[in-house]
Amino acid sequence: VTALFVGVDGGGTSTRCLVARETGEVAGRGRSGGANVLSAPDPAASLQAALTAALEGLDRSQVAGGVFGLAGIARAETPAFQAWRAAGLTGLPVVVPDVLVAFCGATPDPDGTVLVAGTGAMAARIRERQVVRRADGLGWLLGDEGSGVWIGRHALTRALTALDGRTPPTLLVDLLAAAVLGRAEPANELSQEFSRQLTQELVSAVYEQVASAGAAWLGTLAPVVDDAARRGDPVAEDILDEAARRLSRTAKVAGRGPGGGPGGGEADEEFGGPLVLAGSLLTEPTELARRVHAALGDRVRWMPARDGAAGAAALALRAALPPGRAHEAHLRLVGRTPVSEER
Ligand SMILES: Nc1ncnc2c1ncn2[C@@H]1O[C@H](COP(=O)(O)OP(=O)(O)OP(=O)(O)O)[C@@H](O)[C@H]1O
Ligand SMILES: [Mg+2]
């Protein structure tokens, strides 16, 4: 009988759960909706749904530990503990920052930096698998610069300023109207009356969606901006250029580590190890990812994140097993064959 370890990566848009055996072999996976305490409607229910799905067909009494990667850990413990008990598990999981599980899901290295652009955005310097410096991650209202929500919010603003004539026309008007209102708009319709009506409909729909689905909904518009940029819309390109600049600034500031001051200088290129790029906007082949890679330049050693839930499970394994065995399991979980098996 071998023990099972649970890893959870809960984001604003989706929650991923992975159950691992002591060897690092995957025993189960589950997925559900968002679990961010500030932007998701019911974090505990999402966590429980992902847990239950991943544990299906497995003996829950074999679960020997769990790690949850969540944003806002101070407030995230309550829904995490609630979900753990509701899934029929004993003991309690350890709750760590979601950026840490993103880092550990990409590399078994103990040190480096991670930049996340998903629903939200932040960067963290990691030392000995702990967060030692962070930048941004301040949530949809106050920060998360360059995130899906930030991009969606800026796209809406630029469409609305174009509609009342403050800024030049943009393809974003038609594409966002289609995405938000679910219908095609007559292209070239320029009358004031038409613009005023479309503005009112868009504004009402956006406030309603945010009220009912949470602010994470704004991030669902990020692919629309990607599409508009691919079609050469200068406003969409401008939004993504600015998002990439802000994300690279966030990464560089966090990368300086706890001793680094706020000023510029050579330490800019210092990430203390690999720079892990996480979150769908950076792991998918997006226009934003392309810009972030360009902004980071050739000298930075970056790697894409693979699986945050695997990183969380690796941390659970490391808390319970001797370092050598835990390391082999961690290698397997991040998709690198342990050296002992390469012979
Ligand atoms: N191909 C794509 N192009 C643009 N945006 C995308 C793409 N795929 C996903 N997104 C956006 O990425 C966001 C989700 O990111 P991710 O999958 O990293 O979620 P998350 O872990 O739930 O979020 P977070 O951890 O930031 O709270 C959504 O806003 C979604 O619209
Ligand atoms: Mg995430």
Side-chain angles (χ1 to χ4, degrees):
V1 180
T2 70
L4 297 172
F5 296 88
V6 174
V8 173
D9 178 15
T13 299
S14 74
T15 298
R16 285 84 42 179
C17 178
L18 182 151
V19 181
R21 300 187 196 283
E22 284 173 25
T23 54
E25 203 189 319
V26 177
R29 282 181 192 276
R31 214 184 156 86
S32 64
N36 183 293
V37 283
L38 295 179
S39 67
D42 192 347
S46 290
L47 293 169
Q48 191 193 335
L51 271 174
T52 307
L55 287 164
E56 204 187 308
L58 297 172
D59 179 357
R60 283 160 204 222
S61 68
Q62 280 177 246
V63 172
V67 167
F68 284 42
L70 298 168
I73 50 171
R75 273 196 278 171
E77 277 192 342
T78 305
F81 293 175
Q82 230 176 305
W84 187 261
R85 282 191 290 259
L89 298 166
T90 51
L92 285 175
V94 175
V95 179
V96 303
D98 58 345
V99 284
L100 180 62
V101 308
F103 182 83
C104 296
T107 172
D109 290 356
D111 304 326
T113 297
V114 55
L115 170 66
V116 189
T119 315
M122 78 173 285
R125 173 76 172 256
I126 308 295
R127 188 176 295 155
E128 290 169 20
R129 296 187 191 88
Q130 305 222 335
V131 172
V132 293
R133 180 168 180 162
R134 57 184 79 215
D136 203 358
L138 300 177
W140 62 272
L141 182 61
L142 303 175
D144 287 358
E145 294 183 330
S147 66
V149 165
W150 187 94
I151 289 168
R153 190 161 54 79
H154 281 263
L156 285 165
T157 300
R158 293 295 293 265
L160 292 167
T161 58
L163 271 172
D164 72 12
R166 282 173 288 163
T167 55
T170 160
L171 192 53
L172 287 171
V173 172
D174 285 1
L175 296 182
L176 287 172
V180 175
L181 304 172
R183 61 163 198 254
E185 295 304 319
N188 305 324
E189 169 66 74
L190 293 170
S191 79
Q192 276 221 13
E193 179 50 30
F194 176 84
S195 296
R196 211 169 56 85
Q197 200 180 328
L198 181 55
T199 297
Q200 278 174 3
E201 284 184 68
L202 270 173
V203 169
S204 310
V206 168
Y207 277 97
E208 269 167 40
Q209 288 285 357
V210 169
S212 64
W217 173 80
L218 291 164
T220 64
L221 303 174
V224 174
V225 185
D226 193 81
D227 184 21
R230 272 176 217 276
R231 299 196 204 184
D233 182 67
V235 175
E237 290 184 325
D238 192 37
I239 292 170
L240 295 182
D241 286 346
E242 187 59 29
R245 266 195 295 276
R246 295 194 189 203
L247 286 168
S248 103
R249 177 174 72 178
T250 299
K252 286 176 179 174
V253 165
R256 279 178 210 144
E266 274 167 52
D268 274 2
E269 303 302 325
E270 183 55 51
F271 292 102
L275 172 64
V276 169
L277 300 184
S280 289
L281 281 141
L282 298 180
T283 54
E284 297 293 317
T286 63
E287 286 294 296
L288 178 70
R290 209 163 56 72
R291 286 165 165 80
V292 169
H293 300 160
L296 290 169
D298 294 335
R299 292 203 290 137
V300 175
R301 184 163 63 99
W302 60 265
M303 56 171 74
R306 302 170 69 105
D307 185 350
L315 287 169
L317 277 151
R318 282 186 179 276
L321 299 181
R325 272 174 66 205
H327 193 71
E328 288 218 347
H330 195 164
L331 284 170
R332 184 174 282 130
L333 277 166
V334 301
R336 298 205 213 151
T337 314
V339 177
S340 59
E341 289 194 3
E342 279 175 358
R343 275 175 260 150

Short mmCIF file of all heavy atoms in Angstrom, two decimals, residues 1 8 83 100 140 147 150 183 194 269 290 303 320:
data_model
loop_
_atom_site.label_atom_id
_atom_site.label_comp_id
_atom_site.label_asym_id
_atom_site.label_seq_id
_atom_site.Cartn_x
_atom_site.Cartn_y
_atom_site.Cartn_z
N VAL A 1 0.84 -1.20 0.00
CA VAL A 1 0.00 0.00 0.00
C VAL A 1 0.87 1.25 0.00
O VAL A 1 1.71 1.43 0.87
CB VAL A 1 -0.92 0.03 1.26
CG1 VAL A 1 -1.78 1.27 1.24
CG2 VAL A 1 -1.76 -1.23 1.33
N VAL A 8 -3.08 20.87 -5.44
CA VAL A 8 -4.13 21.68 -6.03
C VAL A 8 -3.55 23.01 -6.49
O VAL A 8 -2.75 23.63 -5.78
CB VAL A 8 -5.27 21.94 -5.01
CG1 VAL A 8 -6.29 22.93 -5.57
CG2 VAL A 8 -5.96 20.63 -4.63
N ALA A 83 -13.03 22.45 1.91
CA ALA A 83 -13.10 21.53 0.76
C ALA A 83 -12.44 20.20 1.11
O ALA A 83 -12.92 19.13 0.73
CB ALA A 83 -12.43 22.16 -0.46
N LEU A 100 4.15 29.76 -6.03
CA LEU A 100 5.13 28.75 -5.63
C LEU A 100 4.84 27.41 -6.31
O LEU A 100 5.75 26.74 -6.80
CB LEU A 100 5.14 28.58 -4.10
CG LEU A 100 6.14 27.55 -3.57
CD1 LEU A 100 7.57 27.95 -3.92
CD2 LEU A 100 5.99 27.37 -2.06
N TRP A 140 -7.71 42.28 -9.12
CA TRP A 140 -8.26 42.88 -10.34
C TRP A 140 -8.49 44.38 -10.23
O TRP A 140 -8.42 45.10 -11.21
CB TRP A 140 -9.56 42.17 -10.71
CG TRP A 140 -10.63 42.31 -9.68
CD1 TRP A 140 -10.83 41.49 -8.60
CD2 TRP A 140 -11.61 43.34 -9.60
NE1 TRP A 140 -11.88 41.95 -7.86
CE2 TRP A 140 -12.38 43.08 -8.44
CE3 TRP A 140 -11.93 44.44 -10.39
CZ2 TRP A 140 -13.45 43.90 -8.06
CZ3 TRP A 140 -12.99 45.25 -10.00
CH2 TRP A 140 -13.73 44.98 -8.86
N SER A 147 -2.36 41.12 -16.80
CA SER A 147 -3.11 39.85 -16.69
C SER A 147 -4.26 39.79 -17.68
O SER A 147 -4.57 40.79 -18.35
CB SER A 147 -3.69 39.74 -15.28
OG SER A 147 -4.68 40.76 -15.11
N TRP A 150 -6.75 42.42 -16.65
CA TRP A 150 -6.22 43.75 -16.99
C TRP A 150 -6.39 44.02 -18.48
O TRP A 150 -6.85 45.09 -18.90
CB TRP A 150 -4.75 43.82 -16.58
CG TRP A 150 -4.08 45.16 -16.70
CD1 TRP A 150 -3.94 46.09 -15.71
CD2 TRP A 150 -3.43 45.70 -17.87
NE1 TRP A 150 -3.24 47.18 -16.20
CE2 TRP A 150 -2.92 46.97 -17.51
CE3 TRP A 150 -3.24 45.22 -19.17
CZ2 TRP A 150 -2.21 47.77 -18.41
CZ3 TRP A 150 -2.55 46.03 -20.07
CH2 TRP A 150 -2.04 47.29 -19.69
N ARG A 183 -23.56 38.86 -30.46
CA ARG A 183 -24.13 39.09 -31.79
C ARG A 183 -23.17 39.93 -32.62
O ARG A 183 -22.34 40.67 -32.11
CB ARG A 183 -25.48 39.80 -31.67
CG ARG A 183 -25.36 41.16 -30.99
CD ARG A 183 -26.60 41.98 -31.28
NE ARG A 183 -26.32 43.38 -31.02
CZ ARG A 183 -26.77 44.04 -29.97
NH1 ARG A 183 -27.51 43.45 -29.06
NH2 ARG A 183 -26.48 45.33 -29.81
N PHE A 194 -26.51 55.02 -32.86
CA PHE A 194 -26.07 53.63 -32.80
C PHE A 194 -24.97 53.46 -31.76
O PHE A 194 -25.00 52.55 -30.93
CB PHE A 194 -25.56 53.19 -34.19
CG PHE A 194 -24.99 51.80 -34.18
CD1 PHE A 194 -25.82 50.70 -34.32
CD2 PHE A 194 -23.63 51.60 -34.01
CE1 PHE A 194 -25.30 49.42 -34.31
CE2 PHE A 194 -23.10 50.32 -33.98
CZ PHE A 194 -23.94 49.23 -34.13
N GLU A 269 18.96 41.67 -14.70
CA GLU A 269 19.00 40.40 -15.40
C GLU A 269 19.12 39.22 -14.45
O GLU A 269 19.26 38.08 -14.87
CB GLU A 269 20.17 40.37 -16.39
CG GLU A 269 20.14 41.51 -17.39
CD GLU A 269 18.86 41.55 -18.22
OE1 GLU A 269 18.33 40.47 -18.54
OE2 GLU A 269 18.37 42.63 -18.51
N ARG A 290 4.57 36.20 -26.96
CA ARG A 290 5.60 36.58 -27.93
C ARG A 290 6.27 37.90 -27.51
O ARG A 290 7.50 38.04 -27.56
CB ARG A 290 4.93 36.75 -29.30
CG ARG A 290 5.79 36.47 -30.50
CD ARG A 290 4.92 36.27 -31.75
NE ARG A 290 4.02 37.39 -32.07
CZ ARG A 290 4.42 38.57 -32.54
NH1 ARG A 290 5.70 38.82 -32.73
NH2 ARG A 290 3.54 39.51 -32.82
N MET A 303 11.76 29.34 -18.76
CA MET A 303 11.13 28.08 -19.15
C MET A 303 9.63 28.18 -18.90
O MET A 303 9.19 28.86 -17.98
CB MET A 303 11.73 26.91 -18.37
CG MET A 303 11.66 27.03 -16.87
SD MET A 303 12.15 25.49 -16.06
CE MET A 303 13.91 25.52 -16.31
N ALA A 320 6.84 15.02 3.12
CA ALA A 320 6.62 13.73 3.78
C ALA A 320 7.73 12.71 3.57
O ALA A 320 7.93 11.84 4.41
CB ALA A 320 5.29 13.14 3.29
#
